[in-house]
Every structure is written in structure tokens, then in C-alpha cells.
Amino acid sequence: MFHVVRYQHLKLTQNIGFSVRLKLIFPRTLAFVQLWKSWLSTLSLVGDQNIVLMGPPGAGKTTVGRIVGHKLGCRVIDVDDDVLETTWNMSVSEKLQDVGSRQFIEEEGKALLKFSASGSVISLSGSNPMHAASMQHVKKNGIVVYLDVPTRDIIDRLELMKVDRIVGQDSGISMRDILQFRKQFYKKWYDIRVLCEGGLTAEVVADKVLDAVKRYQDSESETFISTRHIRSEMCEQKGSVKYFTEAVVEGLASDGGLFVPEKGLPTFTAGEWQSLVEATYVERAQVILERFIHPADIPAFKLGEIVEIAYGENFTCSKIAPLRYLTGNQFLLELFHGPTASFKDLALQLMPHLFAYCVPKRCNYLVLVATSGDTGSAVLDGFSRLSDTDKQRIAVVTFFPEDGVSQIQKSQMIGCQRENGWSVGVKSDFDFCQTAIKKIFTNSDYSGFLTVEYGTALSAANSINWARLLPQVIYHASAYLDLVHQDIITFGSPIDVCIPTGNFGNILAALYAKRMGIPIRKCICASNGNNVLTDFIRTGLYDLRGRRLMQTSSPAIDILKSSNLERHLHLIASGDGQLVTQLFSELEKQCHFQLQKDLLEKLQQDLVAGWCSEEDCLAAIHSVYSTTGYILDTHTAIAKVVADRLQDRTCPVIISSTAHYSKFAPAILRALRIAEIKQNPLSQLHLLSSYSPLPPVHRGLLKTLKENEKQKHQICAADVNVMMAHIETVIQNKFMKVF
């Protein structure tokens, strides 16, 4: 296995009679961190670095700074009182009146550039971050903490303080607008964010600041282990513990398990969640991701850039994942507004950028993907949006069942092929594709050969990769917050979610959101005729004996081996890697396993399950369209049917609408009894477009099929060795360099 080294910029300081500052670039590996562990433990929380508090006017920086300084026993500096007014020999308000807003920021910056301190708590003014040079000066020897207070709370505080204008607020600009404008400057500079929900005392905020600084300095504590990791008091498995960057790059653990956070999931208080109610999807995404990803792995400013690129103009709806009322107590979470018209875009517009940031620059990477339909086009599109430099060293190959996806899905995958991405049809089903890729990953001889011969390492972009799963947590949390924002519920009121489920990744993300504090009562697992998960959740018996995969009109969930179920079993088994190893060994060798009673009871606390036939799926599409004018795709229809049967209507239920209906045109045409179904995918879309009562087909899908109608793809036999040979050929043709 290729050894991944992540480089981290560490600020190491120690007082030894005089101030010593070391800024070194070291490999971020466990071996290095352990080497320095004893030395680092001797440092105080601050050392000769500063804790720099940043935030809008009214955020409480001065008061919180004094409390933090008192707790640490160090000097406290308020920039307004101790730097600006001392330098100018006049009050800040007098200076502002004397020079005006624009010149004030420049004068303020000049004063700050002449200031230096160490081992102190510094409270910045609200406008300091608007001067780049002075912030760079302050940041050189400081950990910048952003006190993130909701805008509505800031406005209320400023009104109480009788402040009606702040620096930079010209005539005609509202307080809300100028506060929103300033956020772009704050996000450039902070190292860590502290959510300051309404009602907190300054003492509590100060404690949150100290906890955040401790987390920032203790990067070694946030590690990942395999779901099959077996703990031992005598010794740890060599190389079994990874950092986020390593988990993302390696994709699958060497023992065949999936990476999970060693210390569990981060949590939010109810107040912290409520502080995000008025936030945009992009803002919510960054806050949630910051809790999962340590700044040593991806700094906050870089993470913010990645999030904004991922959820930008490539989505047709500015809300990214809007919530739509359907009927009764049912709401649809529309997850198909990305470029390839499925929920996979919510993860795969983000994941490639995370991956590109994490991978070492000295090696080429080939990302392997098994897809039951939607992942293929989404991963090809996502990786095609990387920078030209990254596309030269990162490529992707998707393997899909040649006869196991819809014609439109296949045409879309073929059409999404680019200079760094290819689609390969396999003469088998999805379960074979997924199992084959896992075998390739765990074949250390083969992966080692690729590294030595071609300087190329393998990775994964299926939801077996932690960075693929993580973004899905965001939209489940965001959907609940949207219900609160729309005054449909108050925070704390329970909801159910119903999710069409195949590989268990989407529903697992909802279960994670629940663990993090989102009040989800039940996750309803909806299957088609391939209902192995329904049986398992009801009985605890995961049984593949005698089962054959059925091809249905909802191919994305035509799956019998649900990879991400392993992560959930690891969670409810309290991290018992030995048990997880045993269960999946039994599944591999005997095609079944049985959960013990206590684990089944834990499973059923969060999950209920049902399934839907082809006939009922098509009938639901017809019924919903007849009564509401809305068209469900086949997977969403599965979830709608199961929600109708299992949900008790005592609380709202959010149904995940995982794809745009136009991706499954033949089934939709059949369900709506419109016309004779044509075989050509483009003709199918044109037929849907021509029927004026229907909502429009997905623009991106139609464009892809039009532009790439004659593009070809490779087909290979259902043989792991053949797939390995194909991978080697791709590497030879793409990277053109033998090491």
C-alpha cells in the first residue's frame, strides 16, 4: 500500500527564558506526532502565541477576552482601547468621525501593523479583518478564533447598545447587509470557529473558546480506524490508525473494513443547531464540515473555498437541496439539482476537491468506482471540475453493470467521460462490481506493483470513502433546519425521514445527523424488490442465500450487499471491530449472518423498513402526478409508498427525492400512460419535453446526452483479473510515465 504523507504547518512555541518560535513543515503522520508528544505536552495552552478573538461588533470579544485571559493567567489586550486609542490619542468614534469609514480602516490597519505581543489574549475590533496586511501580521503569532454570532442576535445587541451605524456602513445600507458583507473578511482569517448561539453568558462562550483552542492544538486526537479494527491493550495493529487526510486518500482500510472516526461523531447543542436556522446551505455545510475535519488536515479558509466551489453555479437551484411540500405531513427533499440530476452530486461536487487537497503531490492517483447508475456520471463530472494541474495527476474509472442501469443513465455516464475519466461496462451486476473493487484494493501485491511501476496509487470514490459519505450528513441536517426556518416545526420537534436505500450510505448519513443532535425519530428504509435490508431490519438476519438480484425500474437501489451497513453495525456495537469482522466474514463465506438480540433491538430503535413492488411504484408515480402535478422518480416513488405504509402521521416525514424523474423516462412514460416508449435515450427525453403538462426535464441531463450522443465506452468481462488489466492499461495511457 502506498504510504501517504500529509504535510502540516505547525507553530511550535516554548518559553525558555527568551522567546523561541519555530515554524516548520513536518510530515503529518502518527509516527512523527508520537515522537513529539512528550515535548508538546510541556507547553501551556498559549505558550508565546496569542489567542486572537475576531467577530462582528457586539459579538462580545472584549468581555470574553477578559474572561479567557483571567482563566489562563495571561495579558489581555483590547485593540480599540489598548492599541488604537493609545496610538491616536483620541477615541475610536472621534477618529471615525475625523477621517471617515474608508480611511478609518486604513488608519486602523497601520496602527495594528506597529503592534506586537506574545502569550496574550487579543480582542480585535469588528473592522480589523477588513485590512489584509494587518491581519496577516496578527495571524503570524496567533490562533484566530471567530466568535460566530447569528446576525439577528448581533442586530438585537447593537440596538440595545444604541449603535445604529458601524464602520463601512454607508447611507442607505442596512445593518443586516453590512454585517453580511463583513462575513467575507472574517472567513479569510480564522483558524477555528466558535458558534455563539443566543442566550449564552460570556463565561460559557469563554469556555467554548478554550475548548476550541485545545482541539486546535491537539490534532493527534482526531483519528480514524477501520470498522474491523481490533483493539488490544498489548499493542495496536500497525498502521491501523489514520488521520482524515489518510482515510480520504486510501479510501478503504487495508483489512477490508471502512474508515470511521475513532472517537465517534461530533455533536452540536440544540442552541448551536438553532444558530444555523437562518444560514444558507453553504454556510451550514462549512460549519458541519469544520466539526468533522481538523484544521491541521484542511484549514478553515481552504475548506470554505472548497465548499463554495462545490455548491456554486453548477447547481440549478440556489438553495442546493430545497425542501418542497408534497401532501399531508409529507415533504420532499429535492436532491437532484446538481449537474447530473441525482443526490450523488451533493457529495461528488465536493469530494473530488477534498481528495485533491489531501493527496500527496508527488504521486498519481487512479480513483476506482463501482456504480449502480447515478454515482458513475456524478463522479466523472465531479473529478472533471478539478483544476488542470490536479486533472493531470488524478483520474477516475467507473465500473457499472452493462445491462443493469437505465439507458439514460448509461448514456449519461458515457457522455460524462472526459480527459481524466472513463466508464467501463461490466457483464455482471453491481454487487460483483463493488466486490471486485474491494478485492482489488485489498490486493497489496497489485497496488504495490502499480505504485512501483507507474508511480500510481489507487483510491475510491464510492460511499465506502469517508469523504463521499460525509457531505450527505449536511443535507439531512439542513432539511430539518429548513422545516424550522419555514415555521412548520419548532426546534426539538421530531420528524421521520424515509430514504430509498441500496448501499446504505444515504440513510446512514441521516442516522449520523440524528447522533449529532438533529431530532430525527425514525429512519425509514425503503427498498424495491431487492429487499434484503427490509428483512434484515425486521429480523436481524442478513441472508443472501438463494437470492438473485432483480433488475427493476429503480436501478440505483438494485443492490444486495450494502457496504455502509458495516459502519452502522460498528456504531451500535460500540466499536467492536472483532464482532464486525466476524459478521462480514460469515457473510462472505456463508452468505448470511444473524445479529444477536441486543444489537437488533438497538438497530430497531432508529430504523424501520419496508419495500415496494414495481406495480406499486408506477402506481404511486401516476397517483401523485394526478393529485399534485408533481412527478416522482422511481426511487422517490418507492420511498413514498413505504412512507405511506409505515409512517404514523404524528410528525412530518421528509422523503429523500434522490433523482430527477427524467433519468428514468421509460418508467415515467409507462406510469403516466403517455405514449409508446422509444429505445433511444435522447428520444425518450424529447418525448417527455414535448408533453407540456409535465415539469421540464433536467437541463444538464438533456445537454449531456445531446452533446455526446455518439461517444463510446469500454466493456469488460465479469473477471477481477480482466478488470485489473484494464486498470493498468488506463494508467499507462493516462499518466504516460513509468517510474
Side-chain angles (χ1 to χ4, degrees), residues 487-699:
D487 293 323
I488 295 163
I489 59 173
T490 56
F491 192 91
S493 301
I495 65 162
D496 293 333
V497 296
C498 186
I499 301 170
T501 304
N503 216 23
F504 209 79
N506 199 357
I507 199 166
L508 178 63
L511 290 163
Y512 280 177
K514 177 177 181 177
R515 291 272 178 149
M516 293 169 63
I518 293 295
I520 296 172
R521 184 179 65 167
K522 291 286 186 181
C523 293
I524 304 170
C525 176
S527 301
N528 58 23
N530 297 296
N531 54 5
V532 63
L533 283 172
T534 302
D535 293 344
F536 172 67
I537 291 167
R538 291 176 177 176
T539 68
L541 176 63
Y542 201 102
D543 195 354
L544 299 179
R545 292 171 296 184
R547 284 188 184 266
R548 298 191 64 180
L549 192 72
M550 298 169 50
Q551 289 190 9
T552 73
S553 60
S554 48
I557 57 174
D558 285 349
I559 297 170
L560 293 177
K561 292 182 180 179
S562 300
S563 285
N564 274 293
L565 179 63
E566 183 169 338
R567 280 189 169 113
H568 189 54
L569 295 183
H570 183 270
L571 183 65
I572 64 174
S574 302
D576 189 342
Q578 188 165 1
L579 175 63
V580 172
T581 301
Q582 176 190 328
L583 293 176
F584 284 90
S585 176
E586 289 175 7
L587 184 64
E588 185 67 26
K589 295 175 182 177
Q590 302 170 27
C591 295
H592 70 99
F593 67 76
Q594 174 70 54
L595 274 191
Q596 56 199 49
K597 184 180 178 182
D598 61 329
L599 284 184
L600 178 58
E601 289 173 352
K602 284 186 178 181
L603 186 80
Q604 292 174 341
Q605 287 174 6
D606 297 324
L607 286 163
V608 294
W611 69 282
C612 171
S613 68
E614 284 288 280
E615 294 76 14
D616 289 344
C617 170
L618 298 182
I621 294 170
H622 185 270
S623 173
V624 169
Y625 177 66
S626 299
T627 55
T628 69
Y630 191 91
I631 303 182
L632 307 174
D633 90 290
T634 49
H635 304 79
T636 311
I638 295 283
K640 161 71 171 157
V641 170
V642 173
D644 287 342
R645 292 173 182 169
L646 298 183
Q647 212 265 344
D648 62 13
R649 295 170 177 78
T650 60
C651 68
V653 57
I654 295 177
I655 297 170
S656 286
S657 183
T658 54
H660 195 277
Y661 78 88
S662 52
K663 294 192 81 167
F664 308 96
I668 301 302
L669 292 167
R670 190 161 63 249
L672 301 183
R673 305 156 198 170
I674 291 177
E676 182 180 348
I677 300 168
K678 301 181 182 297
Q679 291 300 310
N680 181 276
L682 195 55
S683 299
Q684 294 166 3
L685 287 186
H686 282 311
L687 182 56
L688 282 176
S689 299
S690 67
Y691 194 69
S692 58
L694 297 183
V697 300
H698 192 278
R699 294 200 310 267

Side-chain angles (χ1 to χ4, degrees), residues 472-496:
Q472 296 178 261
V473 177
I474 299 164
Y475 57 71
H476 288 299
S478 185
Y480 182 89
L481 297 176
D482 282 344
L483 283 180
V484 177
H485 189 242
Q486 295 169 21
D487 293 323
I488 295 163
I489 59 173
T490 56
F491 192 91
S493 301
I495 65 162
D496 293 333

Side-chain angles (χ1 to χ4, degrees), residues 69 196 233 238 339 450 458 588 629 657 660 708:
C196 304
E233 293 183 3
K238 185 178 180 181
L450 295 179
L458 299 178
E588 185 67 26
S657 183
H660 195 277
N708 303 282

Side-chain angles (χ1 to χ4, degrees), residues 304-494:
E305 290 177 359
I306 290 173
V307 170
E308 290 187 356
I309 291 170
Y311 302 127
E313 296 179 355
N314 40 346
F315 280 78
T316 58
C317 176
S318 61
K319 293 183 177 180
I320 310 301
L323 199 65
R324 177 191 288 266
Y325 175 71
L326 183 60
T327 183
N329 68 327
Q330 295 180 345
F331 296 81
L332 293 175
L333 176 56
E334 292 186 341
L335 300 172
F336 50 71
H337 293 285
T340 69
S342 89
F343 79 103
K344 305 298 175 72
D345 288 324
L346 276 295
L348 284 164
Q349 289 299 301
L350 179 71
M351 183 265 183
H353 297 283
L354 296 177
F355 183 86
Y357 184 85
C358 290
V359 295
K361 302 298 187 269
R362 65 178 181 273
C363 184
N364 297 323
Y365 276 84
L366 184 65
V367 178
L368 304 183
V369 180
T371 176
S372 56
D374 292 329
T375 298
S377 54
V379 76
L380 289 166
D381 183 273
F383 277 89
S384 75
R385 294 175 187 268
L386 293 176
S387 68
D388 290 340
T389 300
D390 286 334
K391 282 190 287 188
Q392 289 175 7
R393 64 193 183 91
I394 301 171
V396 61
V397 177
T398 64
F399 293 96
F400 67 91
E402 176 67 19
D403 300 314
V405 298
S406 77
Q407 284 296 315
I408 289 178
Q409 284 177 312
K410 181 189 288 188
S411 296
Q412 186 183 26
M413 273 189 282
I414 296 168
C416 283
Q417 294 179 117
R418 298 290 187 269
E419 71 271 22
N420 69 326
W422 301 271
S423 292
V424 180
V426 181
K427 288 292 188 177
S428 188
D429 56 31
F430 170 77
D431 286 331
F432 171 83
C433 295
Q434 181 166 250
T435 301
I437 283 182
K438 285 185 176 181
K439 288 180 178 178
I440 292 170
F441 272 117
T442 54
N443 186 333
S444 57
D445 291 339
Y446 178 68
S447 58
F449 164 75
L450 295 179
T451 301
V452 172
E453 288 295 314
Y454 303 110
T456 299
L458 299 178
S459 191
N462 285 85
S463 56
I464 60 175
N465 190 308
W466 180 252
R468 238 302 298 282
L469 177 66
L470 180 54
Q472 296 178 261
V473 177
I474 299 164
Y475 57 71
H476 288 299
S478 185
Y480 182 89
L481 297 176
D482 282 344
L483 283 180
V484 177
H485 189 242
Q486 295 169 21
D487 293 323
I488 295 163
I489 59 173
T490 56
F491 192 91
S493 301

